[in-house]
Amino acid sequence: MSVSVKNISKFYGEQPALDDVSLEIKTGEIVGFLGPNGAGKSTMMKIISCFIPPSKGIVEVCGYNVMLDSIHVRKEVGYLPEHNPLYLEMYVKEYLEFIAGIHRIRSPWKRVSEMIGMVGLGPEQNKKIGALSKGYRQRVGLAQAMIHSPKVLILDEPTSGLDPNQLEDIRQLIKMIGTEKTVMLSTHIMQEVEAMCERIIIINRGRIVANDKTGVVRKKAETGTGNVVVVEFDKTVARNQLTPLKGIRDAENIKGNFWRIQATGKEDIRGIIFQFAVDRNLQVLTLQKEEKSLEDAFKELTGKKG
Ligand code: ADP
Ligand code: MG
């Protein structure tokens, strides 16, 4: 087990930020950590990285307790904070050598040039950090987080604020890094989790509301509200013709003869709709099951629906 969080609570003064949170991250996993603003993601990540202490509970990283053995924990953890604070006046190499010095790395020069190669900073390596694009600054942040060869990487919103190209590059880089390291990354972007993470942990108001394989979390949302089918008829249909049908909870006219029809449960209602059309001499021009997205799951679990 790389990260083990047991019954963690955190208060900032009176303000609760985490409420009895437990989670585990196995060695080699890439886990997505999701939640709305203020949910407690950064707080959790700061505790795992030994930046702030928990108010209650036990956190272990690679078997070391963050409160009792913080020196060891810091060796095993690389942390990329939210908003990636960097010294904009420093040169890329100068900064990374400075960080290497903090970690007392032998032959810092060698390690810095290795890191520059690993994160693809080659063309920008002689610039000041302030002169870099946001994407390249994130690469500096990732190099900083990995320079001491930690086993576990904690990345707090590593792709926020990047343009689509930079985003893709950084995702690729994290995916590559994830083949060798245990990674916990927080994000707002659902596709990111689908693309990169095997598991997803959703936190809301300081409590875990989902913790499962990405596909399973999406499935749970499907069962929550019942299946949805989108259908187009060739003629006008009234809502009160559709809603009395068995297995149908509601029907909503999208536009023209397009309807969005919700089932009462998990059953596939396409057959019922097709039969309805046949009985009334209507043609079905389109008939599709609407896939529930991870985003829907997120909205449902964090109560942000509608
Ligand atoms: P997230 O990263 O999910 O947006 P945070 O962990 O930053 O959430 O914040 C969780 C809660 O704790 C929020 O209500 C936030 O306002 C509060 N909080 C975070 N940091 C501090 C702090 N240093 N002092 C007081 N309250 C804080
Ligand atoms: Mg945050």
Side-chain angles (χ1 to χ4, degrees), residues 14 78 89 111 114 128 170 231 261 273:
E14 299 276 286
E89 283 305 312
R111 184 60 183 157
E114 268 172 29
K128 267 190 182 174
I170 296 295
V231 59
I261 300 175
I273 294 165

Side-chain angles (χ1 to χ4, degrees), residues 4-242:
S4 157
V5 172
K6 288 200 188 105
N7 307 106
I8 286 295
S9 294
K10 174 72 186 178
F11 296 90
Y12 294 106
E14 299 276 286
Q15 160 92 20
L18 294 172
D19 179 11
D20 199 29
V21 172
S22 298
L23 59 92
E24 285 184 336
I25 303 176
K26 293 195 199 88
T27 307
E29 264 191 308
I30 304 190
V31 172
F33 196 38
L34 267 99
N37 272 331
K41 302 180 295 297
S42 296
T43 301
M44 191 70 251
M45 295 181 129
K46 285 177 199 166
I47 292 173
I48 296 171
S49 319
C50 283
F51 267 73
I52 55 172
S55 310
K56 252 190 247 165
I58 298 171
V59 176
E60 286 177 352
V61 179
C62 302
Y64 299 112
N65 185 307
V66 295
M67 298 288 274
L68 308 173
D69 244 336
S70 66
I71 303 226
H72 278 114
V73 174
R74 280 169 219 255
K75 279 193 182 145
E76 306 289 8
V77 173
Y79 173 48
L80 177 64
E82 200 177 1
H83 310 306
N84 188 13
L86 292 167
Y87 299 98
L88 300 185
E89 283 305 312
M90 276 178 115
Y91 288 89
V92 171
K93 279 188 186 165
E94 190 186 18
Y95 171 69
L96 292 176
E97 276 162 26
F98 165 70
I99 300 291
I102 293 176
H103 290 293
R104 299 170 191 279
I105 287 168
R106 273 180 230 136
S107 358
W109 274 63
K110 193 164 151 260
R111 184 60 183 157
V112 166
S113 65
E114 268 172 29
M115 291 317 297
I116 284 173
M118 191 189 298
V119 301
L121 264 172
E124 310 290 306
Q125 61 178 304
N126 294 315
K127 290 189 179 166
K128 267 190 182 174
I129 292 172
L132 301 182
S133 69
K134 190 120 205 269
Y136 277 100
R137 286 185 199 180
Q138 281 310 68
R139 290 172 197 257
V140 175
L142 285 169
Q144 165 277 133
M146 294 192 296
I147 201 159
H148 57 301
S149 315
K151 294 198 187 84
V152 179
L153 273 182
I154 305 291
L155 310 176
D156 198 353
E157 310 224 6
T159 57
S160 81
L162 300 181
D163 73 32
N165 291 329
Q166 296 168 337
L167 199 109
E168 192 44 42
D169 291 348
I170 296 295
R171 271 186 207 165
Q172 288 300 332
L173 183 57
I174 293 172
K175 247 180 143 169
M176 187 198 84
I177 293 165
T179 58
E180 290 176 9
K181 300 199 186 283
T182 304
V183 179
M184 180 186 204
L185 70 98
S186 68
T187 174
H188 279 110
I189 307 170
M190 307 298 141
Q191 301 98 296
E192 194 149 286
V193 178
E194 303 225 75
M196 292 201 289
C197 305
E198 301 139 42
R199 189 150 63 89
I200 168 173
I201 299 176
I202 301 182
I203 185 170
N204 189 36
R205 298 172 191 214
R207 286 174 158 263
I208 306 269
V209 291
N211 178 356
D212 222 318
K213 292 213 174 78
T214 311
V216 174
V217 172
R218 196 182 332 110
K219 279 258 155 58
K220 274 189 187 152
E222 274 174 15
T223 56
T225 51
N227 283 330
V228 172
V229 164
V230 173
V231 59
E232 184 191 8
F233 300 109
D234 67 332
K235 293 192 201 83
T236 312
V237 170
R239 180 164 173 274
N240 61 14
Q241 287 181 287
L242 291 164

